[in-house]
Amino acid sequence: MRWALLFVLVVAAGCATPGLTPADPATAGSASAAPAEPAPFRLPTLLPTSGTAVAPGSEPMILADRDGRAVWIGDTSGAYRSTDNGTTWREMTGHLTDIGVAFGDGVALAQDEAGRLYGAYLNDNRVDVVRSDDGVSWVATTPFAGVSGTADRPWLAAQGNEVVLFYFDAPFVAVGIYEHCARSTDSGATFVDRDPIAFSPAQGCAAFFDDEGRFYFASNTGNLYRFSGTCLNGFDTINMIPSLGVNHLLAGAVDGTDLYMAAVTDGAGTVTLAGSLDGGPARQLVVSPPELRSNAFPTVAVRDGLVAVAWYGSTSGGDPSGGFSGDWQVHLALVRGFWEPEPQVSVLQLTDSPNHRGTICMGGIGCTGGRELLDYFGVAVDIWGGAHVAYVDDASGNGGTYHAYVPPAWGPILPPAEGLPPLGRFTTRVDGAVLNVDATLSQAAPDVTLDTFAWDWGDGQTGDGEVAQHTYATFGAFAVTLTVTDSAGRSGTHTENLIVEGGAPTSSAPPTSSAPSSKPASQPATTSSGAAATSAPASATATGETKGTPLPASLALLAVLLAQRLSSRPVSHRP
């Protein structure tokens, strides 16, 4: 099982928000000054996650289905699909052949409102665009969608019948290096609207449409370029982050018409998230914890107000692009309320061992070392609020693309309004028969404080304390309930259902390996206060059981099987 550290950013009320630079109305269309230092982070809490091997390639891009049916990853080896939140992956079939030649890049992915999936990939020094109507196999292809002597790094976006393709064009027959813009109005069948020298030499890392039908390209200059319906009439420049650190490619994202970009700032010392309301003045927020002295390759995604920023971070200092000797881990920041006076940020470390050691190349093919991670990786937010990260791990010796999934409830938890009962939340760690719980994520209304923490372990035993431990005498499935009481006497409860594998079996049937140790020990469930359930179905393993009574061994084993089969499947409602 992989465990990660969770840090929750708490911003003090009654003063200017630390770490947040407000927009300056006098500088419309440009970003504000460099962000201040971030606010202190809370003490770490262990959080169960897991990293799953996906494919042998690198430079992964990731896309979450608009309807919640699947997650796709495209890397330098092909395109892959998962329907169980990344537990298993299957390669998509058809058309993706002869990837690369001069250069090799991950398969760029996009999806339109009808659910059609598009992919752009390098083929014989050009860019081809493929389409899938079912998300399982590619059924149509447009060769020569991108035409050049040497094409590199395709980016793709889709909306309605429009498909927009950007790629880095370094032709042998021309002087100069350009970003090429090509647009299709017939669902990718033809790309007749094109500008081969849209801009130079700003390389990018994302393409997307907003709700007004305009499309954007994120560049490594810290700018977003906005095109109004065509590649041919120029673009508006939206400056998001004027003071960049050590970066390579910069990613962007859109939520309606709210624009976002993530970049390394202050040398390599911080990761900054910038936001712009429809191209207006940029606002900036530092999302990396001070413990991370070096950071690289930030990428960003957003859905329904939840912004996810993923990056490689290290506690060692220095220039990541040269002479660096530290270890790197994968980190994820989840941001809610970015435009509020007090945004909430949770920072999670998704890997429990380094995914890379030493220098990370920031100069593309011009680097002489540190090319193992190549140039970028990806993050996505699904319709349930879960976060998905596709990253490269070359430190284990095997290399390849991996996927990490963070369920919705592990995002920022907004406190209840004044006068309402507290929200109980806790994380769990199961070690054999020993359960460790931590309720520091619980929240009280702003007019009161949390007073007591009472636990019902589901086996007839009880306990108390914000952080507690319990040893089970028997193997089984148990409903663990936390009751938190605030200083006004109001109470709230939260229940999570889990499998304890290390206790003595309640019958002669031995524990099975049906529930792999790589799965989280518990998953958040719907609370009595009405808080949203996550996509994990662990609550189904003990639903309707009498609290305080362990399940019989036969039912417990069945619960294990159900947990394995249903694990991480999305629920039918959104959080």
Side-chain angles (χ1 to χ4, degrees), residues 4-9 41 47 49 62 271 287-289 292 295-302 306-313 329-335 344-351 377-381 385-391 404-408 410-412:
L5 294 178
L6 170 64
F7 302 85
V8 179
L9 178 60
F41 285 80
L47 169 68
T49 64
I62 189 167
V271 174
V287 297
S288 57
L292 298 178
N295 304 276
F297 285 4
T299 184
V300 62
V302 60
L306 175 61
V307 186
V309 181
W311 72 95
Y312 299 135
Q329 305 267 12
V330 181
H331 296 265
L332 175 70
L334 297 174
V335 183
Q344 288 196 325
V345 181
S346 302
V347 178
L348 302 91
Q349 181 179 300
L350 300 184
T351 47
F377 70 118
V379 62
V381 179
H388 302 260
V389 179
Y391 64 95
Y405 170 62
V406 179
W410 298 118

Side-chain angles (χ1 to χ4, degrees), residues 72-97:
W72 295 278
I73 287 178
D75 71 0
T76 54
S77 68
Y80 303 84
R81 175 176 180 264
S82 174
T83 57
D84 53 12
N85 279 335
T87 302
T88 58
W89 293 88
R90 292 182 180 273
E91 186 172 6
M92 294 185 64
T93 59
H95 292 294
L96 287 182
T97 58

Side-chain angles (χ1 to χ4, degrees), residues 166-511:
F166 289 93
Y167 64 93
F168 191 44
D169 196 352
F172 293 127
V173 296
V175 178
I177 298 173
Y178 305 96
E179 284 290 348
H180 190 128
C181 175
R183 172 173 162 265
S184 169
T185 59
D186 53 10
S187 301
T190 60
F191 286 80
V192 295
D193 174 10
R194 62 172 69 241
D195 184 351
I197 51 173
F199 39 84
S200 173
Q203 302 178 48
C205 194
F208 48 86
F209 280 91
D210 68 14
D211 282 355
E212 301 297 323
R214 301 167 295 188
F215 56 90
Y216 298 77
F217 185 72
S219 89
N220 60 359
T221 61
N223 296 326
L224 290 176
Y225 298 122
R226 179 166 65 193
F227 295 75
S228 297
T230 176
C231 292
L232 301 176
N233 294 338
F235 50 83
D236 298 325
T237 300
I238 303 168
N239 184 225
M240 300 291 287
I241 305 177
S243 301
L244 298 173
V246 180
N247 289 277
H248 185 28
L249 304 180
L250 298 183
V254 65
D255 190 20
T257 58
D258 298 350
L259 307 170
Y260 298 90
M261 174 177 276
V264 171
T265 51
D266 189 23
T270 56
V271 174
T272 294
L273 172 65
S276 167
L277 295 174
D278 198 17
R283 190 186 202 192
Q284 299 178 359
L285 175 69
V286 172
V287 297
S288 57
E291 291 83 359
L292 298 178
R293 299 169 59 197
S294 298
N295 304 276
F297 285 4
T299 184
V300 62
V302 60
R303 190 188 293 263
D304 295 335
L306 175 61
V307 186
V309 181
W311 72 95
Y312 299 135
S314 176
T315 56
S316 300
D319 182 355
S321 63
F324 192 83
S325 59
D327 292 340
W328 297 92
Q329 305 267 12
V330 181
H331 296 265
L332 175 70
L334 297 174
V335 183
R336 284 195 186 276
F338 178 85
W339 299 104
E340 299 297 326
E342 301 175 3
Q344 288 196 325
V345 181
S346 302
V347 178
L348 302 91
Q349 181 179 300
L350 300 184
T351 47
D352 60 0
S353 60
N355 71 296
H356 181 72
R357 292 184 170 92
T359 297
I360 296 178
C361 168
M362 300 284 184
I365 60 174
C367 295
T368 57
R371 285 285 287 162
E372 295 83 1
L373 302 180
L374 295 183
D375 297 319
Y376 49 82
F377 70 118
V379 62
V381 179
D382 63 33
I383 66 171
W384 321 110
H388 302 260
V389 179
Y391 64 95
V392 174
D393 185 342
D394 72 306
S396 62
N398 297 324
T401 294
Y402 286 74
H403 168 269
Y405 170 62
V406 179
W410 298 118
I413 300 170
L414 298 178
E418 186 171 333
L420 293 181
L423 294 177
R425 290 291 190 278
F426 59 93
T427 58
T428 65
R429 183 178 62 181
V430 177
D431 184 9
V434 179
L435 170 65
N436 296 275
V437 292
D438 188 326
T440 56
L441 295 179
S442 300
Q443 297 276 355
D447 58 327
V448 293
T449 59
L450 291 177
D451 192 16
T452 62
F453 300 79
W455 300 92
D456 186 312
W457 305 116
D459 63 351
Q461 304 296 313
T462 59
D464 59 69
E466 188 175 23
V467 178
Q469 184 181 89
H470 179 65
T471 300
Y472 288 89
T474 60
F475 164 78
F478 300 91
V480 178
T481 299
L482 166 67
T483 300
V484 289
T485 304
D486 62 27
S487 53
R490 299 185 292 257
S491 296
T493 63
H494 178 69
T495 299
E496 294 190 11
N497 303 289
L498 55 92
I499 305 295
V500 175
E501 301 181 63
T506 55
S507 73
S508 58

